[in-house]
Amino acid sequence: MLSTYELGHQPLHVASPAGALLRAGHDVRCVDLAMDALDSDTLCWADAVACSVPMHTAMRLALAVCGEIRSRRPDVALCLYGLYAGLDAGLEKTSTGTLVDRTIAGEYEPALVAWVDEIAAGASGRSPGGADAVVSLGRGRFGLPARHLLPALDRYARLAVSGELRLAGYVEASHGCAHRCKHCPVPVVYDGRTRLVGEDAVVADVAQLVELGARHITFGDPDFLNGPHHAVRVVSAVHSAFPELSFDVTVKVEHILRHGDVWPALARAGCLFVVSAFESASDEVLRLLDKGHTVADEIEAVAVLRAVGIEPRPSLMPFTPWTSAKDIGALLDLVSYCDLVGNVDPVHYSIRLL
């Protein structure tokens, strides 16, 4: 199991399927290529290699890794899985067939385990006539991620708060999204649907992260309030078990306003900040992207969160085919007006629509 990039977090999208494969009786090794090199012994040991591609950067990096693996082990079965796995780039032809043998998007764990089961039963796992592409949205129960197979949390990003650095863990309480913003990769796979991760599974994973030293948890759901009742139950359960933990979530502007009643409880449970895709200070660009909110809504969302002591951390996408120089100025004015200069990662001033 390989990860190339998960935003500086210990890669859940390797740990979770690794746990599923272990429970199915397979031998598993995990390498986070953001931290360690893939050594020859591990590559020679493997009957199959599965590479996680949960985001665009991970996919770009994974294609280069898969090319290297294919040159070193032309016989090994090779799979890309995750949100970006369905892109055509993984299906390009090489001298030995396609670059990868299988791509699995969506709720990938059952299909990934089935693929490895086939290989264990004697199948090659190779697809010389063309890669097998799978999109699975079937619901499944989630067991404990195999975090013991990954580097320790102190090698990953930490939260800087109140003059200290806290080890941070990353979990997800849901997959997919109920919305279809036109610039987002999630609707391409989930088409407005969501899949909930059981409350007990989330709490159990948080428990092992706490055991590993975590004092802050990032809920990395595409939108934490797609299922607001589920989200509140998860936060309540985690806070009850670990009252000293702080956490952050990602929520659409539209949901910040629609579910304004949940924020006092989330603040009391330790929510420090909310990542929210403001994207633009142009109502026309927001309309074209189907964001579901306006610039006035962005300003109101800042006020709603700050009223209960939660800081907004907006994500921005300044450059689109419809952006004017005036729009860039308006975005900077918005950040200044809402006192968000310290809340915006500088890279967000240069992001382009893919």
Side-chain angles (χ1 to χ4, degrees), residues 22-187:
L22 287 174
R23 288 186 293 274
H26 301 291
D27 296 322
V28 183
R29 296 184 190 180
C30 297
V31 181
D32 183 354
L33 295 171
M35 297 292 169
D36 300 305
L38 177 59
D39 63 80
S40 296
D41 288 344
T42 298
L43 186 55
C44 290
W45 168 86
D47 298 313
V49 177
C51 195
S52 170
V53 288
M55 56 193 76
H56 180 259
T57 300
M59 183 64 169
R60 292 288 298 271
L61 294 169
L63 291 176
V65 170
C66 288
E68 180 184 350
I69 291 171
R70 185 60 78 213
S71 67
R72 294 166 62 184
R73 281 285 312 273
D75 60 316
V76 77
L78 189 53
C79 172
L80 293 172
Y81 68 91
L83 188 63
Y84 274 81
L87 293 182
D88 289 344
L91 308 181
E92 62 190 40
K93 290 285 186 178
T94 70
S95 60
T96 58
T98 53
L99 180 61
V100 300
D101 303 297
R102 185 155 304 188
T103 65
I104 307 172
E107 301 298 293
Y108 52 75
E109 288 193 355
L112 184 59
V113 171
W115 180 65
V116 178
D117 284 343
E118 293 171 7
I119 295 169
S124 70
R126 297 298 318 279
S127 298
D132 296 321
V134 177
V135 177
S136 174
L137 294 180
R139 295 176 183 267
R141 288 191 58 82
F142 292 87
L144 203 61
R147 295 189 180 273
H148 65 286
L149 297 179
L150 290 165
L153 290 184
D154 62 7
R155 296 184 66 190
Y156 292 95
R158 308 182 188 206
L159 175 74
V161 61
S162 302
E164 64 172 331
L165 292 176
R166 298 180 186 177
L167 293 186
Y170 176 97
V171 301
E172 293 177 355
S174 65
H175 305 153
C177 185
H179 297 272
R180 296 180 174 87
C181 303
K182 289 178 180 174
H183 66 306
C184 179
V186 177

Side-chain angles (χ1 to χ4, degrees), residues 53-325:
V53 288
M55 56 193 76
H56 180 259
T57 300
M59 183 64 169
R60 292 288 298 271
L61 294 169
L63 291 176
V65 170
C66 288
E68 180 184 350
I69 291 171
R70 185 60 78 213
S71 67
R72 294 166 62 184
R73 281 285 312 273
D75 60 316
V76 77
L78 189 53
C79 172
L80 293 172
Y81 68 91
L83 188 63
Y84 274 81
L87 293 182
D88 289 344
L91 308 181
E92 62 190 40
K93 290 285 186 178
T94 70
S95 60
T96 58
T98 53
L99 180 61
V100 300
D101 303 297
R102 185 155 304 188
T103 65
I104 307 172
E107 301 298 293
Y108 52 75
E109 288 193 355
L112 184 59
V113 171
W115 180 65
V116 178
D117 284 343
E118 293 171 7
I119 295 169
S124 70
R126 297 298 318 279
S127 298
D132 296 321
V134 177
V135 177
S136 174
L137 294 180
R139 295 176 183 267
R141 288 191 58 82
F142 292 87
L144 203 61
R147 295 189 180 273
H148 65 286
L149 297 179
L150 290 165
L153 290 184
D154 62 7
R155 296 184 66 190
Y156 292 95
R158 308 182 188 206
L159 175 74
V161 61
S162 302
E164 64 172 331
L165 292 176
R166 298 180 186 177
L167 293 186
Y170 176 97
V171 301
E172 293 177 355
S174 65
H175 305 153
C177 185
H179 297 272
R180 296 180 174 87
C181 303
K182 289 178 180 174
H183 66 306
C184 179
V186 177
V188 177
V189 175
Y190 284 89
D191 193 25
R193 290 165 286 193
T194 59
R195 297 293 182 261
L196 302 181
V197 179
E199 176 186 322
D200 55 342
V202 178
V203 174
D205 192 22
V206 170
Q208 68 173 350
L209 286 167
V210 170
E211 182 69 21
L212 294 171
R215 297 180 57 207
H216 179 85
I217 297 295
T218 289
F219 286 96
D221 312 40
D223 193 302
F224 192 63
L225 293 184
N226 268 319
H229 299 298
H230 173 68
V232 170
R233 288 194 300 268
V234 167
V235 166
S236 177
V238 170
H239 182 62
S240 177
F242 309 103
E244 301 304 315
L245 276 180
S246 58
F247 68 95
D248 67 90
V249 298
T250 297
V251 180
K252 279 173 60 71
V253 169
E254 181 180 350
H255 285 175
I256 291 173
L257 301 181
R258 182 184 303 170
H259 304 295
D261 57 321
V262 309
W263 297 114
L266 266 58
R268 290 192 297 270
C271 184
L272 297 184
F273 62 91
V274 173
V275 177
S276 189
F278 283 23
E279 309 296 34
S280 174
S282 163
D283 282 338
E284 177 62 9
V285 171
L286 293 172
R287 182 189 67 80
L288 289 165
L289 296 177
D290 263 359
K291 283 302 302 177
H293 70 257
T294 64
V295 178
D297 292 334
E298 295 170 354
I299 296 170
E300 184 180 356
V302 171
V304 166
L305 294 174
R306 283 186 170 155
V308 296
I310 297 174
E311 278 298 305
R313 294 201 68 195
S315 63
L316 308 177
M317 187 172 61
F319 298 104
T320 75
W322 314 285
T323 301
S324 67

